[in-house]
Amino acid sequence: MSNILTIIRKEFARFFKDKRLVIGTLILPGVLIFVLYTLLGSVFYDSNETYSAKVVHPSSVFAAVADPEGEESSFAFTEIGEDGIDSAKEEIRSGSLDLLIVFPENFDALLTEGEFSPVGGAPNVEIWYDSSSVSSSSAFSAVSAILDVLEDQASNRFDVNISAGGDLTSAEQAEASYYAMLLPFLILTFLYSGCMGIAPESIAGEKERGTIATLLVTPIKRSQLVIGKIVSLSVISSLSAISSFIGTFLSMPRLMGGSIGSALGSYSVGQYFALFAVMISAVLIIVSLISIISSYAKSVKEAASLSVPLMIVVMLVGISTMLFTTSAPAAFLIPVYNCVQVMAQIFSLQFSWVSLVITLVSNLVYIVLLVFLLTKMFKSEKVIFNQ
Amino acid sequence: MQEAQDISSVRREIVRAENVRKTFTLSRKQRAIEKSKTGKKVALDGLSFTAYEGEIYGLLGPNGAGKTTMLRILATLIRPDEGDARIAGHSVLKEPDAVRSSIGFLTSELKLEDFFTPAYLFGFFGKLHGMSDEFLAKRKDELFTKFGIDRFAEVKVGDLSTGMKQKVSIAVSIIHDPAVIIFDEPTNGLDVLTAKVVTDFLAEMKEQGKSIIVSTHIFSLVEKLCDRVGVIIDGRMAAEGTLPEVAGDRSLEDAFFDIYKRTVTGV
């Protein structure tokens, strides 16, 4: 036991006393995720943009919908005559104008008095735009949507969800199911990338530099060395994942227009405990797997490249909750997948103790097997001296 | 000859290798270099030798003879395919942990982490050897003074000179005051001053009653230090005994080439 603690202390000393490692593993991921998500958020959700549009034969009904009085409009309409159409098209091509809308002369009257005509035979609204310009194509989508509504209203045969009907979910459930899809994937990805940053260095790196052989000629048992490594790497990977998670947490309002904070408040202490237990078992399995890859590899570089296929598998498993969920007990015997599913259950407020217990017990068995395998590898000269 | 045997019989055996065989599987590239058809290289072909308590035993042989493989087996880093070796009564196969407690093993392949200081590494390896704080402090004081490490105790290993690194490695390898010291090519790659520190150290260890096994291809080192020598050629013991027994009235170098010629050509 004391040997395990000695190894853990040494691994911590190696990590925490190295400023570059601490910054690269604990601080940068969170900061980068925050900056990246915030930037993405500001690109996707820039609601302040105003589109410039020129209109021939303007319609007051359309203008009332697109440019309601007293509200900030996202369109700046300019009326032009038919003779300005060609030059307006040129302006769109050159990017100085977003949109040109050519209404039929009596558009407002058509809306109230117009008759049903087959497609192609009815009066046409021309919208000219440039799909290669983001603002022009957004303006096109917005205007098309408004016109679709107007067309629906003009030839109304039935309404959907106007007099009755609606969404029966509670706001809490809606938010929960949203996070049930997203969070397991994020947590798994953060844990994996945290581990990728340190485990190859700690095991393949020690092999490459010849420092592991120095350890192996001391009386320490191989199993103690393996357990010490896995525990310390798991703690550091978890810290790295927490850093990434904090970055996500802080940038979420900007990216999604929501807050994880309000969603996180809806879970009970028991659910948090379950989540914590699942995450610990997930991190131990991931660290063990990457450690095995790192022991097999001849160098840090090889370990990192061999870990990539496993990362793809883990990420695919991570998005599995977006595609389907399961409650079949046997599914909770599959490592990693079971963690994702239980996390999804917890986040979607459909948590069951049975799946948690199956997951934790089966993962414990896998972890013991992986530690056993890694110990075997540490005992094998083919693995340790395969330079 | 008679006298040597008498001495051997009263001295206690400290290291005994019995019929040790070790075969390595070659990679495709190595196969081409070695011109091997079987894809196997026999590194040790039934090697046996005995070293007695308190002596310096030298394994002498050309590169690739199997010296390092033998020492790695003694250090329990690799396992023999056949045969066994006992160190201070412990089998390398059955009690590797006990073997590791009783030896100090040093080779140029065993490195110390550049990131840590000698003082930190001393504490770390001392704990892995199960040493008490008191004993550890005493050994640190002794060894750091002896090798002049005290001034560099808080300098990262990566920033030390090659010679100082080697001294720190030696100090770490014998931190637990082992009864047996195993040294693979002790002076390889060292400048004359550091090499002198190492050979003086080995002689001093012998005076303290330690048993030492060194591997080398340097004749002068064997002549200067070793009580007994084993000449390994192609994984077999070609000659073994005290220096006069092996070399007779010739120089060790001449004797070695005779033995080599006899072994390789069979004449």
Side-chain angles (χ1 to χ4, degrees):
Chain A
M1 188 65 196
S2 76
N3 277 346
I4 297 177
L5 285 178
T6 306
I7 294 291
I8 293 176
R9 269 199 290 267
K10 178 224 142 195
E11 290 290 322
F12 282 173
R14 175 73 190 87
F15 181 82
F16 289 107
K17 284 184 184 168
D18 191 335
K19 277 189 202 125
R20 283 166 58 185
L21 272 181
V22 170
I23 291 172
T25 317
L26 294 191
I27 297 173
L28 268 188
V31 172
L32 281 181
I33 283 175
F34 176 75
V35 171
L36 184 72
Y37 282 10
T38 306
L39 280 178
L40 279 178
S42 53
V43 171
F44 289 143
Y45 288 90
D46 196 353
S47 54
N48 298 327
E49 192 172 358
T50 308
Y51 307 116
S52 56
K54 291 194 171 170
V55 188
V56 181
H57 310 307
S59 146
S60 56
V61 178
F62 173 80
V65 180
D67 191 8
E69 262 180 64
E71 281 181 39
E72 208 171 302
S73 168
S74 47
F75 286 98
F77 294 117
T78 318
E79 186 181 346
I80 56 167
E82 281 181 16
D83 51 350
I85 288 177
D86 286 339
S87 65
K89 283 183 186 170
E90 220 27 72
E91 282 176 55
I92 292 173
R93 281 196 194 97
S94 69
S96 57
L97 181 67
D98 291 323
L99 217 57
L100 166 68
I101 312 170
V102 185
F103 285 105
E105 260 178 87
N106 50 352
F107 184 73
D108 286 348
L110 275 173
L111 284 178
T112 48
E113 298 155 16
E115 288 175 4
F116 179 78
S117 333
V119 172
N124 181 42
V125 180
E126 298 170 23
I127 311 172
W128 301 95
Y129 66 106
D130 174 6
S131 66
S132 62
S133 147
V134 176
S135 61
S136 179
S137 55
S138 313
F140 169 70
S141 310
V143 166
S144 307
I146 296 169
L147 288 172
D148 278 345
V149 172
L150 290 179
E151 188 181 24
D152 272 354
Q153 285 173 352
S155 58
N156 197 19
R157 301 275 164 94
F158 60 87
D159 295 324
V160 175
N161 270 3
I162 287 196
S163 53
D167 185 359
L168 292 176
T169 185
S170 66
E172 191 183 58
Q173 275 176 332
E175 204 160 55
S177 74
Y178 175 62
Y179 287 114
M181 290 198 306
L182 188 68
L183 288 182
F185 170 73
L186 285 180
I187 289 172
L188 214 56
T189 311
F190 293 158
L191 286 178
Y192 196 94
S193 52
C195 183
M196 274 265 279
I198 49 165
E201 178 57 35
S202 169
I203 294 178
E206 285 224 34
K207 259 176 76 177
E208 203 177 352
R209 293 189 298 268
T211 52
I212 204 152
T214 318
L215 273 176
L216 293 178
V217 291
T218 68
I220 187 174
K221 287 193 177 351
R222 275 50 173 157
S223 53
Q224 294 172 330
L225 178 58
V226 166
I227 293 172
K229 286 257 180 202
I230 287 185
V231 170
S232 48
L233 292 176
S234 297
V235 171
I236 299 170
S237 303
S238 306
L239 290 178
S240 171
I242 288 170
S243 154
S244 306
F245 200 76
I246 291 174
T248 314
F249 187 90
L250 295 176
S251 56
M252 222 23 129
R254 193 85 182 98
L255 181 63
M256 304 284 181
S259 151
I260 297 185
S262 61
L264 294 185
S266 58
Y267 304 113
S268 70
V269 176
Q271 283 166 329
Y272 272 111
F273 172 74
L275 186 65
F276 185 68
V278 171
M279 278 165 54
I280 298 261
S281 76
V283 77
L284 285 170
I285 285 198
I286 290 173
V287 166
S288 307
L289 286 173
I290 299 186
S291 299
I292 285 171
I293 291 175
S294 302
S295 311
Y296 172 77
K298 291 187 174 76
S299 63
V300 178
K301 214 169 146 189
E302 193 182 337
S305 50
L306 287 177
S307 304
V308 171
L310 181 65
M311 180 169 81
I312 294 169
V313 172
V314 166
M315 286 175 78
L316 282 178
V317 171
I319 58 168
S320 65
T321 52
M322 302 184 190
L323 310 171
F324 54 89
T325 52
T326 179
S327 54
F332 293 91
L333 292 172
I334 307 170
V336 184
Y337 177 77
N338 56 12
C339 299
V340 177
Q341 289 296 332
V342 170
M343 282 194 261
Q345 283 189 346
I346 295 170
F347 289 125
S348 61
L349 307 172
Q350 288 159 352
F351 168 64
S352 102
W353 284 101
V354 178
S355 32
L356 176 73
V357 170
I358 297 176
T359 298
L360 291 182
V361 171
S362 61
N363 282 355
L364 188 65
V365 172
Y366 297 131
I367 292 162
V368 170
L369 288 177
L370 291 173
V371 167
F372 182 73
L373 175 64
L374 200 54
T375 306
K376 276 264 184 215
M377 291 175 82
F378 271 44
K379 281 183 184 166
S380 160
E381 58 193 72
K382 288 201 183 81
V383 171
I384 296 297
F385 299 108
N386 66 348
Q387 296 293 318
Chain B
M1 184 79 182
Q2 190 61 39
E3 193 188 63
Q5 273 175 352
D6 286 343
I7 292 172
S8 302
S9 60
V10 292
R11 281 169 134 186
R12 201 163 73 92
E13 284 178 4
I14 191 88
V15 176
R16 184 179 180 81
E18 282 167 33
N19 202 21
V20 175
R21 266 186 76 84
K22 180 73 189 175
T23 310
F24 292 110
T25 310
L26 298 176
S27 69
R28 192 168 297 177
K29 209 170 168 185
Q30 288 167 325
R31 232 179 275 182
I33 296 169
E34 300 270 341
K35 296 192 178 114
S36 159
K37 283 176 189 158
T38 56
K40 302 255 184 200
K41 177 170 168 58
V42 179
L44 294 175
D45 193 3
L47 188 73
S48 303
F49 71 91
T50 308
Y52 297 97
E53 196 167 28
E55 72 177 8
I56 300 187
Y57 185 97
L59 284 175
L60 181 70
N63 288 341
K67 304 184 300 285
T68 300
T69 306
M70 187 63 234
L71 295 193
R72 280 181 167 192
I73 287 174
L74 292 180
T76 76
L77 281 174
I78 59 178
R79 291 165 68 88
D81 299 337
E82 284 172 35
D84 195 355
R86 300 181 79 80
I87 295 184
H90 304 292
S91 155
V92 294
L93 283 174
K94 295 179 194 116
E95 308 155 89
D97 298 342
V99 168
R100 288 197 291 268
S101 294
S102 48
I103 61 165
F105 181 58
L106 195 64
T107 114
S108 56
E109 289 165 334
L110 302 191
K111 301 272 170 51
L112 296 172
E113 275 194 64
D114 283 350
F115 179 78
F116 291 116
T117 64
Y120 181 88
L121 288 169
F122 226 71
F124 173 64
F125 283 102
K127 288 203 186 79
L128 289 184
H129 279 288
M131 294 165 69
S132 69
D133 289 345
E134 210 177 313
F135 184 38
L136 187 58
K138 183 172 158 270
R139 287 294 283 171
K140 186 174 165 183
D141 211 32
E142 277 172 23
L143 293 170
F144 275 27
T145 314
K146 181 207 288 281
F147 290 108
I149 303 170
D150 22 15
R151 280 190 301 135
F152 304 96
E154 298 302 335
V155 178
K156 284 184 181 178
V157 170
D159 296 332
L160 295 175
S161 65
T162 313
M164 188 49 72
K165 268 186 205 168
Q166 181 72 359
K167 289 176 188 171
V168 175
S169 292
I170 296 173
V172 165
S173 71
I174 56 159
I175 183 172
H176 53 303
D177 200 14
V180 181
I181 294 167
I182 300 174
F183 227 148
D184 189 13
E185 306 279 5
T187 55
N188 256 23
L190 297 183
D191 67 276
V192 282
L193 290 177
T194 320
K196 171 101 170 79
V197 172
V198 172
T199 49
D200 287 353
F201 156 74
L202 288 173
E204 195 188 326
M205 288 294 108
K206 187 194 158 192
E207 268 169 35
Q208 287 181 15
K210 307 287 181 199
S211 313
I212 298 158
I213 296 191
V214 293
S215 81
T216 185
H217 57 261
I218 303 169
F219 300 109
S220 61
L221 191 75
V222 176
E223 284 170 334
K224 192 173 166 199
L225 282 176
C226 295
D227 299 297
R228 290 170 67 247
V229 60
V231 179
I232 306 185
I233 292 165
D234 285 342
R236 292 195 198 98
M237 190 58 81
E240 191 189 16
T242 59
L243 275 179
E245 282 169 3
V246 171
D249 45 9
R250 293 161 300 174
S251 72
L252 181 62
E253 190 172 353
D254 291 341
F256 174 81
F257 286 117
D258 279 353
I259 296 167
Y260 186 79
K261 205 171 147 193
R262 207 167 53 228
T263 313
V264 173
T265 58
V267 180

